[in-house]
Amino acid sequence: MAQQPNLSSYFQPQNATIANDQYKFVFTVNEAISEGVTEHKRLPELIQKAMSLARAPISTYKVGAVGRASSGQVYLGVNVDFPGLPLHHSIHAEQFLVANLALNFEEGLSHLAVAVSTDGIEFGTPCGHCCQFLLEISNAPEIKILTRSSKHVEGSLTSLKRLLTDRFTPDRILPNGTPFLLEKRDNCLSLPISASGETLAAEYYCYHLKRKALAAANNSFSPYTDSPSGVALLDDKGNVYSGWYIESVASNPSLGPVQAALVDFVARGRGKGFDKIVGAVLVEKNDARVSQEGTAKMLLETIADRNCFFKVFHCYVMP
């Protein structure tokens, strides 16, 4: 059992006033303008900042992604590796950016710039894995991708529709009217009321992580396997981070709930190492076609505090 976190700080709100913006992942319209992003072709003004925030101890390159949401706000995405684990568990920068949009309840993505390079000057289109992941967004075919070479510094725009001319899209499988990724959804999940058998102190903080993980599971995008799940993470200062499972129609590009919660951790954790994670709760359906328990446990055992506790709670669909 992990050492109890500092419960006196557990319910204190995180400080929203930050002396500097070194770790900033979300920019309001005015903040983006102050950074030089006055129009979509200026998104690369934030590429270097994004690349500096990447956590890529294994990958060849640090990858930065900058996207303008339909609201006009600008979001960053970065690639994240997990030392000790194969790269297929890593988070691509575009996946990070989309999860960042989802966690902030944005409704769409209009423009995207991605740099896979050492200097952030010359960059092309997202990889096929991420192009497929982007297709889960309702306006995906119209998302404009900015590419740039050293000979054409201004860059040029192309649509995802042009990049993927014969697309494997969600509407080939999903019934009409099914909400797309980033669209409002409620999976109507609830947790049974039962005695946990935990000590009073353990139940004290597990209860709140459980509620947060349940809320995440209710936002989970899992229309293909009907296996919604959510994760809540606790750091050593009592701060809570959460995320939910995001599926792809092509299966492999799907983003697990722990990885999504780690997007929240990286975006709001002010540069903290993963070893500062001291607790985690997973909420998923008991009969889920895709269970996240094994993968979640493996990830946390590898990257989190060695005494990190991990609890799994099974939810059900409310009638």
Side-chain angles (χ1 to χ4, degrees):
M1 187 67 182
Q3 182 179 357
Q4 294 177 23
N6 181 2
L7 298 180
S8 64
S9 67
Y10 190 95
F11 298 107
Q12 294 177 6
Q14 296 188 80
N15 186 3
T17 303
I18 299 170
N20 61 70
D21 62 356
Q22 178 184 357
Y23 298 104
K24 196 173 183 65
F25 280 84
V26 182
F27 295 79
T28 65
V29 174
N30 288 335
E31 287 171 341
I33 290 173
S34 71
E35 295 284 345
V37 183
T38 53
E39 58 172 328
H40 52 261
K41 283 196 174 182
R42 305 293 291 179
L43 287 175
E45 295 293 330
L46 284 169
I47 281 288
Q48 291 283 1
K49 180 181 287 289
M51 292 174 66
S52 72
L53 294 169
R55 299 193 182 193
I58 306 172
S59 299
T60 305
Y61 296 112
K62 289 187 175 182
V63 184
V66 183
R68 185 189 292 276
S70 299
S71 67
Q73 293 203 135
V74 173
Y75 289 78
L76 304 188
V78 300
N79 61 325
V80 179
D81 297 338
F82 305 114
L85 291 172
L87 280 173
H88 68 261
H89 291 294
S90 298
I91 306 170
H92 290 216
E94 297 91 325
Q95 287 180 306
F96 189 111
L97 187 142
V98 172
N100 199 8
L101 292 170
L103 292 170
N104 285 279
F105 299 100
E106 289 285 358
E107 297 181 352
L109 176 67
S110 61
H111 295 82
L112 176 66
V114 184
V116 185
S117 64
T118 55
D119 55 16
I121 296 174
E122 198 167 341
F123 49 90
T125 61
C127 69
H129 179 99
C130 289
C131 283
Q132 183 66 54
F133 189 74
L134 289 167
L135 287 180
E136 303 302 322
I137 301 173
S138 61
N139 68 323
E142 308 309 321
I143 294 173
K144 299 297 189 296
I145 311 294
L146 180 65
T147 59
R148 190 172 72 178
S149 67
S150 57
K151 295 181 180 179
H152 300 90
V153 180
E154 283 298 310
S156 60
L157 291 169
T158 188
S159 67
L160 198 57
K161 179 167 58 177
R162 292 189 64 184
L163 290 177
L164 300 175
T165 54
D166 187 16
R167 301 178 298 281
F168 181 33
T169 55
D171 54 14
R172 292 191 183 187
I173 292 178
L174 298 178
N176 289 336
T178 303
F180 280 72
L181 179 60
L182 302 185
E183 294 182 338
K184 189 175 180 180
R185 64 194 307 109
D186 182 358
N187 293 314
C188 299
L189 302 173
S190 187
L191 286 166
I193 300 173
S194 60
S196 67
E198 296 284 354
T199 65
L200 183 60
E203 180 62 17
Y204 183 72
Y205 56 84
C206 271
Y207 173 83
H208 296 281
L209 288 178
K210 184 167 60 173
R211 294 287 113 188
K212 195 76 172 178
L214 175 64
N218 271 315
N219 285 308
S220 181
F221 181 75
S222 177
Y224 309 108
T225 67
D226 189 27
S227 303
S229 59
V231 164
L233 305 174
L234 180 72
D235 73 12
D236 60 341
K237 299 300 182 183
N239 299 313
V240 179
Y241 311 87
S242 63
W244 50 83
Y245 182 35
I246 301 175
E247 282 188 341
S248 164
V249 67
S251 298
N252 282 347
S254 300
L255 188 70
V258 172
Q259 286 97 326
L262 289 169
V263 167
D264 194 25
F265 179 85
V266 172
R268 295 194 298 114
R270 311 297 300 151
K272 284 185 179 181
F274 297 131
D275 61 339
K276 300 303 182 183
I277 298 170
V278 299
V281 164
L282 165 69
V283 168
E284 64 179 0
K285 292 163 70 175
N286 186 45
D287 58 350
R289 291 170 60 191
V290 176
S291 173
Q292 303 290 339
E293 181 174 352
T295 302
K297 184 178 181 181
M298 178 191 64
L299 276 165
L300 293 167
E301 284 180 345
T302 304
I303 68 172
D305 180 272
R306 64 177 184 173
N307 292 316
C308 176
F309 71 85
F310 174 55
K311 302 290 183 182
V312 180
F313 297 93
H314 293 120
C315 57
Y316 64 92
V317 180
M318 291 183 291

